[in-house]
Amino acid sequence: MNSYFNISVDASKVNTGIGLRDRHLRNEDYFAVKSYPELMFSSAKISRTPVANTFILTGDLQIKGIAKALTFPLTMEKMGNEYLFFAKFNINRKDFAVGGNHFFMGDDVEVNVKLSVFQN
């Protein structure tokens, strides 16, 4: 398969649904958006699965300048000239130096991704 994903997300646009928390995540202890304005993912491999429109995506996730290999399922829906991709996976926030040591905060974070791609 000759497809790939190179995705960058404006770290200041991360949305948890709670505005106060979102503003707090921009601080140095978390995403440090002044020093690291983007969260990035670059795919290395996309594999089909036996399930229609479902793939396994492998690549590097980079947060705060720290890159880690990641593999997760990806589903696709086609709506007219738009392709919607959905993914849900967990990461350990400490792997990316996010959040420091807090006894009230878990280390595993669930990440939900919805990506829209338009075909010309």
Side-chain angles (χ1 to χ4, degrees):
M1 182 177 292
N2 293 327
S3 300
Y4 62 91
F5 287 93
N6 284 323
I7 302 165
S8 68
V9 175
D10 181 341
S12 69
K13 303 288 187 202
V14 170
N15 184 347
T16 66
I18 301 171
L20 182 61
R21 179 178 17 195
D22 294 345
R23 285 188 295 280
H24 190 68
L25 289 174
R26 295 182 187 112
N27 294 332
E28 289 300 310
D29 287 351
Y30 293 89
F31 290 127
V33 298
K34 289 181 182 175
S35 300
Y36 304 98
E38 295 179 320
L39 311 171
M40 295 179 274
F41 178 82
S42 296
S43 67
K45 181 178 179 183
I46 302 173
S47 305
R48 291 187 183 272
T49 70
V51 179
N53 297 322
T54 302
F55 307 88
I56 299 296
L57 190 58
T58 300
D60 288 327
L61 176 64
Q62 184 174 333
I63 301 173
K64 291 179 75 174
I66 301 168
K68 297 285 181 181
L70 188 64
T71 298
F72 56 89
L74 179 75
T75 58
M76 179 189 72
E77 292 179 18
K78 185 172 185 332
M79 300 178 70
N81 67 339
E82 180 181 17
Y83 290 88
L84 297 172
F85 295 91
F86 302 92
K88 181 166 52 170
F89 54 88
N90 288 342
I91 61 170
N92 184 322
R93 65 180 180 82
K94 287 184 173 181
D95 288 346
F96 300 95
V98 173
N101 293 318
H102 296 285
F103 67 91
F104 60 88
M105 183 184 337
D107 295 342
D108 287 331
V109 177
E110 183 177 271
V111 178
N112 291 286
V113 177
K114 178 181 176 184
L115 176 66
S116 179
V117 178
F118 293 90
Q119 179 180 3
N120 291 331

mmCIF file of all heavy atoms in Angstrom, residues 2-53:
data_model
loop_
_atom_site.group_PDB
_atom_site.id
_atom_site.type_symbol
_atom_site.label_atom_id
_atom_site.label_comp_id
_atom_site.label_asym_id
_atom_site.label_seq_id
_atom_site.Cartn_x
_atom_site.Cartn_y
_atom_site.Cartn_z
ATOM 1 N N ASN A 2 0.666 2.178 -0.895
ATOM 2 C CA ASN A 2 1.503 3.359 -1.039
ATOM 3 C C ASN A 2 0.969 4.576 -0.291
ATOM 4 O O ASN A 2 1.288 5.692 -0.632
ATOM 5 C CB ASN A 2 1.662 3.707 -2.518
ATOM 6 C CG ASN A 2 2.446 2.649 -3.249
ATOM 7 O OD1 ASN A 2 3.337 2.046 -2.666
ATOM 8 N ND2 ASN A 2 2.121 2.413 -4.498
ATOM 9 N N SER A 3 0.166 4.366 0.702
ATOM 10 C CA SER A 3 -0.404 5.469 1.470
ATOM 11 C C SER A 3 0.442 5.752 2.704
ATOM 12 O O SER A 3 1.183 4.894 3.177
ATOM 13 C CB SER A 3 -1.822 5.121 1.911
ATOM 14 O OG SER A 3 -2.637 4.887 0.790
ATOM 15 N N TYR A 4 0.319 6.955 3.213
ATOM 16 C CA TYR A 4 1.013 7.315 4.447
ATOM 17 C C TYR A 4 0.293 8.499 5.086
ATOM 18 O O TYR A 4 -0.499 9.190 4.443
ATOM 19 C CB TYR A 4 2.481 7.660 4.188
ATOM 20 C CG TYR A 4 2.685 8.852 3.294
ATOM 21 C CD1 TYR A 4 2.806 10.129 3.829
ATOM 22 C CD2 TYR A 4 2.748 8.705 1.916
ATOM 23 C CE1 TYR A 4 2.970 11.227 3.011
ATOM 24 C CE2 TYR A 4 2.925 9.796 1.095
ATOM 25 C CZ TYR A 4 3.037 11.064 1.646
ATOM 26 O OH TYR A 4 3.197 12.143 0.832
ATOM 27 N N PHE A 5 0.565 8.710 6.347
ATOM 28 C CA PHE A 5 0.044 9.850 7.088
ATOM 29 C C PHE A 5 1.208 10.621 7.696
ATOM 30 O O PHE A 5 2.076 10.033 8.330
ATOM 31 C CB PHE A 5 -0.873 9.397 8.243
ATOM 32 C CG PHE A 5 -2.200 8.875 7.808
ATOM 33 C CD1 PHE A 5 -2.384 7.520 7.600
ATOM 34 C CD2 PHE A 5 -3.267 9.732 7.629
ATOM 35 C CE1 PHE A 5 -3.615 7.028 7.210
ATOM 36 C CE2 PHE A 5 -4.501 9.252 7.241
ATOM 37 C CZ PHE A 5 -4.679 7.891 7.026
ATOM 38 N N ASN A 6 1.237 11.910 7.483
ATOM 39 C CA ASN A 6 2.107 12.836 8.201
ATOM 40 C C ASN A 6 1.170 13.902 8.758
ATOM 41 O O ASN A 6 0.658 14.726 8.007
ATOM 42 C CB ASN A 6 3.161 13.469 7.291
ATOM 43 C CG ASN A 6 4.277 12.516 6.980
ATOM 44 O OD1 ASN A 6 4.688 11.736 7.828
ATOM 45 N ND2 ASN A 6 4.773 12.559 5.765
ATOM 46 N N ILE A 7 0.945 13.837 10.052
ATOM 47 C CA ILE A 7 -0.070 14.671 10.684
ATOM 48 C C ILE A 7 0.584 15.555 11.731
ATOM 49 O O ILE A 7 1.385 15.083 12.539
ATOM 50 C CB ILE A 7 -1.144 13.794 11.358
ATOM 51 C CG1 ILE A 7 -1.792 12.870 10.322
ATOM 52 C CG2 ILE A 7 -2.181 14.651 12.060
ATOM 53 C CD1 ILE A 7 -2.584 11.751 10.934
ATOM 54 N N SER A 8 0.247 16.829 11.712
ATOM 55 C CA SER A 8 0.653 17.710 12.797
ATOM 56 C C SER A 8 -0.589 18.398 13.340
ATOM 57 O O SER A 8 -1.490 18.758 12.575
ATOM 58 C CB SER A 8 1.694 18.727 12.341
ATOM 59 O OG SER A 8 1.137 19.637 11.436
ATOM 60 N N VAL A 9 -0.620 18.520 14.650
ATOM 61 C CA VAL A 9 -1.749 19.125 15.336
ATOM 62 C C VAL A 9 -1.230 20.307 16.140
ATOM 63 O O VAL A 9 -0.231 20.182 16.857
ATOM 64 C CB VAL A 9 -2.431 18.099 16.272
ATOM 65 C CG1 VAL A 9 -3.533 18.752 17.086
ATOM 66 C CG2 VAL A 9 -2.959 16.914 15.479
ATOM 67 N N ASP A 10 -1.890 21.425 16.030
ATOM 68 C CA ASP A 10 -1.556 22.592 16.830
ATOM 69 C C ASP A 10 -1.825 22.241 18.295
ATOM 70 O O ASP A 10 -2.972 22.012 18.686
ATOM 71 C CB ASP A 10 -2.420 23.767 16.378
ATOM 72 C CG ASP A 10 -2.147 25.059 17.114
ATOM 73 O OD1 ASP A 10 -1.561 25.024 18.213
ATOM 74 O OD2 ASP A 10 -2.545 26.110 16.586
ATOM 75 N N ALA A 11 -0.777 22.168 19.096
ATOM 76 C CA ALA A 11 -0.908 21.746 20.496
ATOM 77 C C ALA A 11 -1.829 22.666 21.293
ATOM 78 O O ALA A 11 -2.453 22.229 22.263
ATOM 79 C CB ALA A 11 0.462 21.671 21.152
ATOM 80 N N SER A 12 -1.949 23.914 20.891
ATOM 81 C CA SER A 12 -2.828 24.842 21.605
ATOM 82 C C SER A 12 -4.302 24.584 21.300
ATOM 83 O O SER A 12 -5.178 25.166 21.922
ATOM 84 C CB SER A 12 -2.469 26.289 21.281
ATOM 85 O OG SER A 12 -2.794 26.605 19.947
ATOM 86 N N LYS A 13 -4.585 23.693 20.343
ATOM 87 C CA LYS A 13 -5.967 23.385 19.958
ATOM 88 C C LYS A 13 -6.466 22.057 20.541
ATOM 89 O O LYS A 13 -7.562 21.625 20.217
ATOM 90 C CB LYS A 13 -6.098 23.337 18.433
ATOM 91 C CG LYS A 13 -5.671 24.584 17.727
ATOM 92 C CD LYS A 13 -6.637 25.697 17.930
ATOM 93 C CE LYS A 13 -6.211 26.870 17.050
ATOM 94 N NZ LYS A 13 -6.731 28.117 17.503
ATOM 95 N N VAL A 14 -5.655 21.403 21.376
ATOM 96 C CA VAL A 14 -6.091 20.154 22.000
ATOM 97 C C VAL A 14 -7.361 20.438 22.779
ATOM 98 O O VAL A 14 -7.448 21.417 23.522
ATOM 99 C CB VAL A 14 -4.987 19.574 22.915
ATOM 100 C CG1 VAL A 14 -5.518 18.433 23.746
ATOM 101 C CG2 VAL A 14 -3.804 19.122 22.071
ATOM 102 N N ASN A 15 -8.364 19.573 22.591
ATOM 103 C CA ASN A 15 -9.682 19.813 23.178
ATOM 104 C C ASN A 15 -10.112 18.619 24.005
ATOM 105 O O ASN A 15 -10.370 17.552 23.474
ATOM 106 C CB ASN A 15 -10.685 20.081 22.053
ATOM 107 C CG ASN A 15 -12.050 20.425 22.570
ATOM 108 O OD1 ASN A 15 -12.367 20.255 23.744
ATOM 109 N ND2 ASN A 15 -12.880 20.917 21.687
ATOM 110 N N THR A 16 -10.195 18.816 25.323
ATOM 111 C CA THR A 16 -10.673 17.763 26.217
ATOM 112 C C THR A 16 -12.146 17.946 26.551
ATOM 113 O O THR A 16 -12.720 17.115 27.240
ATOM 114 C CB THR A 16 -9.877 17.763 27.538
ATOM 115 O OG1 THR A 16 -10.159 18.981 28.247
ATOM 116 C CG2 THR A 16 -8.401 17.623 27.289
ATOM 117 N N GLY A 17 -12.726 19.070 26.102
ATOM 118 C CA GLY A 17 -14.106 19.369 26.435
ATOM 119 C C GLY A 17 -14.247 20.204 27.701
ATOM 120 O O GLY A 17 -15.345 20.581 28.082
ATOM 121 N N ILE A 18 -13.120 20.492 28.357
ATOM 122 C CA ILE A 18 -13.135 21.308 29.578
ATOM 123 C C ILE A 18 -12.135 22.444 29.360
ATOM 124 O O ILE A 18 -10.916 22.232 29.375
ATOM 125 C CB ILE A 18 -12.766 20.475 30.821
ATOM 126 C CG1 ILE A 18 -13.761 19.324 30.991
ATOM 127 C CG2 ILE A 18 -12.725 21.356 32.073
ATOM 128 C CD1 ILE A 18 -13.364 18.322 32.057
ATOM 129 N N GLY A 19 -12.643 23.666 29.151
ATOM 130 C CA GLY A 19 -11.815 24.814 28.797
ATOM 131 C C GLY A 19 -10.691 25.100 29.778
ATOM 132 O O GLY A 19 -9.561 25.372 29.373
ATOM 133 N N LEU A 20 -10.963 25.052 31.080
ATOM 134 C CA LEU A 20 -9.936 25.324 32.080
ATOM 135 C C LEU A 20 -8.802 24.308 31.982
ATOM 136 O O LEU A 20 -7.622 24.670 32.024
ATOM 137 C CB LEU A 20 -10.550 25.309 33.489
ATOM 138 C CG LEU A 20 -9.608 25.636 34.641
ATOM 139 C CD1 LEU A 20 -9.026 27.033 34.492
ATOM 140 C CD2 LEU A 20 -10.351 25.516 35.969
ATOM 141 N N ARG A 21 -9.149 23.032 31.804
ATOM 142 C CA ARG A 21 -8.124 21.996 31.651
ATOM 143 C C ARG A 21 -7.340 22.212 30.363
ATOM 144 O O ARG A 21 -6.127 22.076 30.342
ATOM 145 C CB ARG A 21 -8.751 20.608 31.658
ATOM 146 C CG ARG A 21 -7.719 19.521 31.469
ATOM 147 C CD ARG A 21 -8.228 18.119 31.512
ATOM 148 N NE ARG A 21 -9.651 17.957 31.355
ATOM 149 C CZ ARG A 21 -10.307 16.845 31.640
ATOM 150 N NH1 ARG A 21 -9.657 15.802 32.097
ATOM 151 N NH2 ARG A 21 -11.593 16.760 31.456
ATOM 152 N N ASP A 22 -8.036 22.569 29.279
ATOM 153 C CA ASP A 22 -7.360 22.798 27.999
ATOM 154 C C ASP A 22 -6.322 23.910 28.121
ATOM 155 O O ASP A 22 -5.214 23.789 27.605
ATOM 156 C CB ASP A 22 -8.368 23.136 26.904
ATOM 157 C CG ASP A 22 -9.286 21.975 26.581
ATOM 158 O OD1 ASP A 22 -8.982 20.837 26.979
ATOM 159 O OD2 ASP A 22 -10.324 22.214 25.935
ATOM 160 N N ARG A 23 -6.657 25.000 28.810
ATOM 161 C CA ARG A 23 -5.704 26.098 29.008
ATOM 162 C C ARG A 23 -4.525 25.631 29.857
ATOM 163 O O ARG A 23 -3.385 25.977 29.591
ATOM 164 C CB ARG A 23 -6.405 27.298 29.640
ATOM 165 C CG ARG A 23 -7.285 28.056 28.643
ATOM 166 C CD ARG A 23 -7.834 29.340 29.214
ATOM 167 N NE ARG A 23 -8.750 29.137 30.333
ATOM 168 C CZ ARG A 23 -10.031 28.796 30.226
ATOM 169 N NH1 ARG A 23 -10.555 28.605 29.024
ATOM 170 N NH2 ARG A 23 -10.785 28.644 31.290
ATOM 171 N N HIS A 24 -4.799 24.823 30.864
ATOM 172 C CA HIS A 24 -3.744 24.300 31.735
ATOM 173 C C HIS A 24 -2.784 23.390 30.957
ATOM 174 O O HIS A 24 -1.581 23.397 31.207
ATOM 175 C CB HIS A 24 -4.373 23.546 32.914
ATOM 176 C CG HIS A 24 -3.409 23.175 33.980
ATOM 177 N ND1 HIS A 24 -2.789 24.101 34.780
ATOM 178 C CD2 HIS A 24 -2.942 21.970 34.370
ATOM 179 C CE1 HIS A 24 -1.992 23.491 35.624
ATOM 180 N NE2 HIS A 24 -2.063 22.196 35.390
ATOM 181 N N LEU A 25 -3.308 22.634 29.996
ATOM 182 C CA LEU A 25 -2.475 21.731 29.201
ATOM 183 C C LEU A 25 -1.456 22.469 28.333
ATOM 184 O O LEU A 25 -0.484 21.876 27.880
ATOM 185 C CB LEU A 25 -3.342 20.837 28.314
ATOM 186 C CG LEU A 25 -4.144 19.765 29.033
ATOM 187 C CD1 LEU A 25 -5.059 19.044 28.053
ATOM 188 C CD2 LEU A 25 -3.229 18.781 29.745
ATOM 189 N N ARG A 26 -1.636 23.748 28.111
ATOM 190 C CA ARG A 26 -0.694 24.528 27.302
ATOM 191 C C ARG A 26 0.574 24.888 28.080
ATOM 192 O O ARG A 26 1.570 25.277 27.488
ATOM 193 C CB ARG A 26 -1.380 25.791 26.793
ATOM 194 C CG ARG A 26 -2.508 25.482 25.832
ATOM 195 C CD ARG A 26 -3.168 26.740 25.286
ATOM 196 N NE ARG A 26 -4.323 26.367 24.524
ATOM 197 C CZ ARG A 26 -5.582 26.627 24.870
ATOM 198 N NH1 ARG A 26 -5.848 27.305 25.961
ATOM 199 N NH2 ARG A 26 -6.578 26.227 24.101
ATOM 200 N N ASN A 27 0.543 24.756 29.415
ATOM 201 C CA ASN A 27 1.677 25.131 30.271
ATOM 202 C C ASN A 27 2.875 24.216 30.065
ATOM 203 O O ASN A 27 2.767 23.129 29.515
ATOM 204 C CB ASN A 27 1.258 25.106 31.743
ATOM 205 C CG ASN A 27 0.224 26.157 32.057
ATOM 206 O OD1 ASN A 27 0.170 27.189 31.414
ATOM 207 N ND2 ASN A 27 -0.604 25.890 33.051
ATOM 208 N N GLU A 28 4.031 24.655 30.585
ATOM 209 C CA GLU A 28 5.296 23.920 30.460
ATOM 210 C C GLU A 28 5.235 22.504 31.022
ATOM 211 O O GLU A 28 5.878 21.602 30.497
ATOM 212 C CB GLU A 28 6.431 24.695 31.135
ATOM 213 C CG GLU A 28 6.830 25.955 30.379
ATOM 214 C CD GLU A 28 7.311 25.692 28.971
ATOM 215 O OE1 GLU A 28 8.182 24.816 28.779
ATOM 216 O OE2 GLU A 28 6.812 26.355 28.048
ATOM 217 N N ASP A 29 4.496 22.285 32.108
ATOM 218 C CA ASP A 29 4.404 20.952 32.713
ATOM 219 C C ASP A 29 3.711 19.943 31.799
ATOM 220 O O ASP A 29 3.891 18.742 31.965
ATOM 221 C CB ASP A 29 3.627 20.991 34.034
ATOM 222 C CG ASP A 29 4.415 21.626 35.156
ATOM 223 O OD1 ASP A 29 5.615 21.885 34.966
ATOM 224 O OD2 ASP A 29 3.817 21.857 36.218
ATOM 225 N N TYR A 30 2.907 20.429 30.875
ATOM 226 C CA TYR A 30 2.128 19.537 30.021
ATOM 227 C C TYR A 30 2.652 19.591 28.583
ATOM 228 O O TYR A 30 3.670 19.014 28.278
ATOM 229 C CB TYR A 30 0.637 19.852 30.152
ATOM 230 C CG TYR A 30 0.152 19.497 31.537
ATOM 231 C CD1 TYR A 30 0.204 20.422 32.563
ATOM 232 C CD2 TYR A 30 -0.283 18.218 31.834
ATOM 233 C CE1 TYR A 30 -0.193 20.088 33.854
ATOM 234 C CE2 TYR A 30 -0.678 17.864 33.118
ATOM 235 C CZ TYR A 30 -0.631 18.804 34.118
ATOM 236 O OH TYR A 30 -1.015 18.464 35.391
ATOM 237 N N PHE A 31 1.962 20.289 27.678
ATOM 238 C CA PHE A 31 2.387 20.301 26.276
ATOM 239 C C PHE A 31 3.424 21.363 25.937
ATOM 240 O O PHE A 31 3.998 21.340 24.855
ATOM 241 C CB PHE A 31 1.189 20.435 25.339
ATOM 242 C CG PHE A 31 0.311 19.220 25.304
ATOM 243 C CD1 PHE A 31 -1.047 19.312 25.522
ATOM 244 C CD2 PHE A 31 0.844 17.968 25.066
ATOM 245 C CE1 PHE A 31 -1.855 18.196 25.495
ATOM 246 C CE2 PHE A 31 0.052 16.839 25.035
ATOM 247 C CZ PHE A 31 -1.301 16.954 25.252
ATOM 248 N N ALA A 32 3.665 22.306 26.819
ATOM 249 C CA ALA A 32 4.691 23.346 26.599
ATOM 250 C C ALA A 32 4.570 23.938 25.196
ATOM 251 O O ALA A 32 5.516 23.926 24.413
ATOM 252 C CB ALA A 32 6.084 22.774 26.835
ATOM 253 N N VAL A 33 3.387 24.472 24.888
ATOM 254 C CA VAL A 33 3.091 24.884 23.513
ATOM 255 C C VAL A 33 3.991 26.002 22.991
ATOM 256 O O VAL A 33 4.179 26.108 21.784
ATOM 257 C CB VAL A 33 1.608 25.262 23.327
ATOM 258 C CG1 VAL A 33 0.701 24.081 23.610
ATOM 259 C CG2 VAL A 33 1.219 26.443 24.169
ATOM 260 N N LYS A 34 4.580 26.809 23.873
ATOM 261 C CA LYS A 34 5.498 27.854 23.388
ATOM 262 C C LYS A 34 6.773 27.233 22.827
ATOM 263 O O LYS A 34 7.319 27.707 21.839
ATOM 264 C CB LYS A 34 5.817 28.840 24.502
ATOM 265 C CG LYS A 34 4.639 29.729 24.845
ATOM 266 C CD LYS A 34 4.990 30.709 25.936
ATOM 267 C CE LYS A 34 3.759 31.538 26.276
ATOM 268 N NZ LYS A 34 4.002 32.434 27.408
ATOM 269 N N SER A 35 7.245 26.167 23.446
ATOM 270 C CA SER A 35 8.464 25.498 22.981
ATOM 271 C C SER A 35 8.177 24.420 21.941
ATOM 272 O O SER A 35 9.009 24.161 21.068
ATOM 273 C CB SER A 35 9.187 24.848 24.164
ATOM 274 O OG SER A 35 9.544 25.816 25.117
ATOM 275 N N TYR A 36 7.021 23.761 22.056
ATOM 276 C CA TYR A 36 6.650 22.642 21.175
ATOM 277 C C TYR A 36 5.231 22.877 20.657
ATOM 278 O O TYR A 36 4.272 22.312 21.171
ATOM 279 C CB TYR A 36 6.725 21.312 21.931
ATOM 280 C CG TYR A 36 8.073 21.055 22.547
ATOM 281 C CD1 TYR A 36 8.315 21.331 23.887
ATOM 282 C CD2 TYR A 36 9.115 20.553 21.768
ATOM 283 C CE1 TYR A 36 9.560 21.100 24.445
ATOM 284 C CE2 TYR A 36 10.364 20.320 22.321
ATOM 285 C CZ TYR A 36 10.575 20.599 23.669
ATOM 286 O OH TYR A 36 11.808 20.379 24.217
ATOM 287 N N PRO A 37 5.068 23.725 19.654
ATOM 288 C CA PRO A 37 3.732 24.113 19.205
ATOM 289 C C PRO A 37 2.939 23.018 18.486
ATOM 290 O O PRO A 37 1.734 23.166 18.303
ATOM 291 C CB PRO A 37 3.995 25.286 18.266
ATOM 292 C CG PRO A 37 5.394 25.096 17.802
ATOM 293 C CD PRO A 37 6.127 24.423 18.929
ATOM 294 N N GLU A 38 3.594 21.907 18.114
ATOM 295 C CA GLU A 38 2.888 20.868 17.367
ATOM 296 C C GLU A 38 3.068 19.485 17.990
ATOM 297 O O GLU A 38 4.126 19.165 18.517
ATOM 298 C CB GLU A 38 3.400 20.798 15.924
ATOM 299 C CG GLU A 38 3.107 22.028 15.117
ATOM 300 C CD GLU A 38 3.650 21.917 13.704
ATOM 301 O OE1 GLU A 38 4.759 21.395 13.520
ATOM 302 O OE2 GLU A 38 2.942 22.353 12.795
ATOM 303 N N LEU A 39 2.010 18.699 17.898
ATOM 304 C CA LEU A 39 2.050 17.260 18.168
ATOM 305 C C LEU A 39 2.090 16.621 16.784
ATOM 306 O O LEU A 39 1.347 17.030 15.894
ATOM 307 C CB LEU A 39 0.792 16.815 18.914
ATOM 308 C CG LEU A 39 0.382 17.640 20.129
ATOM 309 C CD1 LEU A 39 -0.987 17.208 20.626
ATOM 310 C CD2 LEU A 39 1.408 17.530 21.215
ATOM 311 N N MET A 40 2.953 15.633 16.583
ATOM 312 C CA MET A 40 3.116 15.089 15.232
ATOM 313 C C MET A 40 3.043 13.566 15.219
ATOM 314 O O MET A 40 3.450 12.913 16.184
ATOM 315 C CB MET A 40 4.451 15.538 14.651
ATOM 316 C CG MET A 40 4.508 17.030 14.438
ATOM 317 S SD MET A 40 6.082 17.573 13.782
ATOM 318 C CE MET A 40 7.010 17.751 15.289
ATOM 319 N N PHE A 41 2.529 13.049 14.119
ATOM 320 C CA PHE A 41 2.537 11.610 13.869
ATOM 321 C C PHE A 41 2.949 11.377 12.427
ATOM 322 O O PHE A 41 2.413 12.008 11.514
ATOM 323 C CB PHE A 41 1.165 10.977 14.119
ATOM 324 C CG PHE A 41 1.165 9.504 13.825
ATOM 325 C CD1 PHE A 41 1.628 8.601 14.764
ATOM 326 C CD2 PHE A 41 0.749 9.027 12.598
ATOM 327 C CE1 PHE A 41 1.672 7.247 14.489
ATOM 328 C CE2 PHE A 41 0.779 7.669 12.308
ATOM 329 C CZ PHE A 41 1.239 6.777 13.265
ATOM 330 N N SER A 42 3.894 10.469 12.222
ATOM 331 C CA SER A 42 4.325 10.068 10.881
ATOM 332 C C SER A 42 4.211 8.558 10.775
ATOM 333 O O SER A 42 4.797 7.833 11.579
ATOM 334 C CB SER A 42 5.780 10.466 10.630
ATOM 335 O OG SER A 42 5.904 11.862 10.643
ATOM 336 N N SER A 43 3.451 8.099 9.792
ATOM 337 C CA SER A 43 3.275 6.660 9.635
ATOM 338 C C SER A 43 4.496 6.035 8.981
ATOM 339 O O SER A 43 5.185 6.662 8.180
ATOM 340 C CB SER A 43 2.019 6.347 8.818
ATOM 341 O OG SER A 43 2.160 6.786 7.486
ATOM 342 N N ALA A 44 4.756 4.808 9.341
ATOM 343 C CA ALA A 44 5.825 4.019 8.722
ATOM 344 C C ALA A 44 5.224 2.860 7.923
ATOM 345 O O ALA A 44 5.800 2.417 6.938
ATOM 346 C CB ALA A 44 6.773 3.484 9.785
ATOM 347 N N LYS A 45 4.043 2.400 8.365
ATOM 348 C CA LYS A 45 3.420 1.249 7.713
ATOM 349 C C LYS A 45 1.910 1.288 7.935
ATOM 350 O O LYS A 45 1.446 1.600 9.032
ATOM 351 C CB LYS A 45 3.994 -0.041 8.303
ATOM 352 C CG LYS A 45 3.462 -1.306 7.697
ATOM 353 C CD LYS A 45 4.132 -2.519 8.328
ATOM 354 C CE LYS A 45 3.567 -3.796 7.738
ATOM 355 N NZ LYS A 45 4.143 -4.980 8.375
ATOM 356 N N ILE A 46 1.168 0.971 6.886
ATOM 357 C CA ILE A 46 -0.285 0.812 6.973
ATOM 358 C C ILE A 46 -0.604 -0.572 6.442
ATOM 359 O O ILE A 46 -0.241 -0.908 5.313
ATOM 360 C CB ILE A 46 -1.034 1.875 6.145
ATOM 361 C CG1 ILE A 46 -0.647 3.282 6.603
ATOM 362 C CG2 ILE A 46 -2.537 1.661 6.241
ATOM 363 C CD1 ILE A 46 -1.199 4.392 5.734
ATOM 364 N N SER A 47 -1.265 -1.372 7.261
ATOM 365 C CA SER A 47 -1.612 -2.747 6.878
ATOM 366 C C SER A 47 -3.118 -2.927 6.875
ATOM 367 O O SER A 47 -3.808 -2.442 7.771
ATOM 368 C CB SER A 47 -1.010 -3.747 7.872
ATOM 369 O OG SER A 47 0.380 -3.564 7.987
ATOM 370 N N ARG A 48 -3.611 -3.629 5.875
ATOM 371 C CA ARG A 48 -5.038 -3.987 5.845
ATOM 372 C C ARG A 48 -5.302 -5.077 6.871
ATOM 373 O O ARG A 48 -4.435 -5.879 7.185
ATOM 374 C CB ARG A 48 -5.429 -4.514 4.472
ATOM 375 C CG ARG A 48 -5.409 -3.477 3.393
ATOM 376 C CD ARG A 48 -5.990 -4.072 2.109
ATOM 377 N NE ARG A 48 -5.912 -3.135 1.034
ATOM 378 C CZ ARG A 48 -6.856 -2.229 0.762
ATOM 379 N NH1 ARG A 48 -7.921 -2.158 1.503
ATOM 380 N NH2 ARG A 48 -6.708 -1.392 -0.249
ATOM 381 N N THR A 49 -6.529 -5.095 7.358
ATOM 382 C CA THR A 49 -6.976 -6.187 8.221
ATOM 383 C C THR A 49 -8.075 -6.930 7.469
ATOM 384 O O THR A 49 -8.567 -6.442 6.446
ATOM 385 C CB THR A 49 -7.534 -5.667 9.562
ATOM 386 O OG1 THR A 49 -8.780 -5.013 9.327
ATOM 387 C CG2 THR A 49 -6.554 -4.723 10.250
ATOM 388 N N PRO A 50 -8.506 -8.088 7.966
ATOM 389 C CA PRO A 50 -9.602 -8.797 7.305
ATOM 390 C C PRO A 50 -10.944 -8.056 7.383
ATOM 391 O O PRO A 50 -11.850 -8.329 6.618
ATOM 392 C CB PRO A 50 -9.684 -10.121 8.065
ATOM 393 C CG PRO A 50 -8.411 -10.253 8.814
ATOM 394 C CD PRO A 50 -7.895 -8.884 9.031
ATOM 395 N N VAL A 51 -11.047 -7.103 8.291
ATOM 396 C CA VAL A 51 -12.282 -6.340 8.461
ATOM 397 C C VAL A 51 -12.294 -5.183 7.469
ATOM 398 O O VAL A 51 -11.315 -4.429 7.367
ATOM 399 C CB VAL A 51 -12.386 -5.809 9.916
ATOM 400 C CG1 VAL A 51 -13.656 -4.987 10.100
ATOM 401 C CG2 VAL A 51 -12.312 -6.941 10.917
ATOM 402 N N ALA A 52 -13.397 -5.041 6.748
ATOM 403 C CA ALA A 52 -13.513 -3.989 5.740
ATOM 404 C C ALA A 52 -13.265 -2.612 6.345
ATOM 405 O O ALA A 52 -13.740 -2.313 7.451
ATOM 406 C CB ALA A 52 -14.903 -4.031 5.099
ATOM 407 N N ASN A 53 -12.515 -1.784 5.624
ATOM 408 C CA ASN A 53 -12.237 -0.400 6.007
ATOM 409 C C ASN A 53 -11.526 -0.246 7.356
ATOM 410 O O ASN A 53 -11.635 0.784 8.009
ATOM 411 C CB ASN A 53 -13.524 0.435 6.000
ATOM 412 C CG ASN A 53 -14.126 0.508 4.622
ATOM 413 O OD1 ASN A 53 -13.424 0.601 3.626
ATOM 414 N ND2 ASN A 53 -15.444 0.448 4.559
#
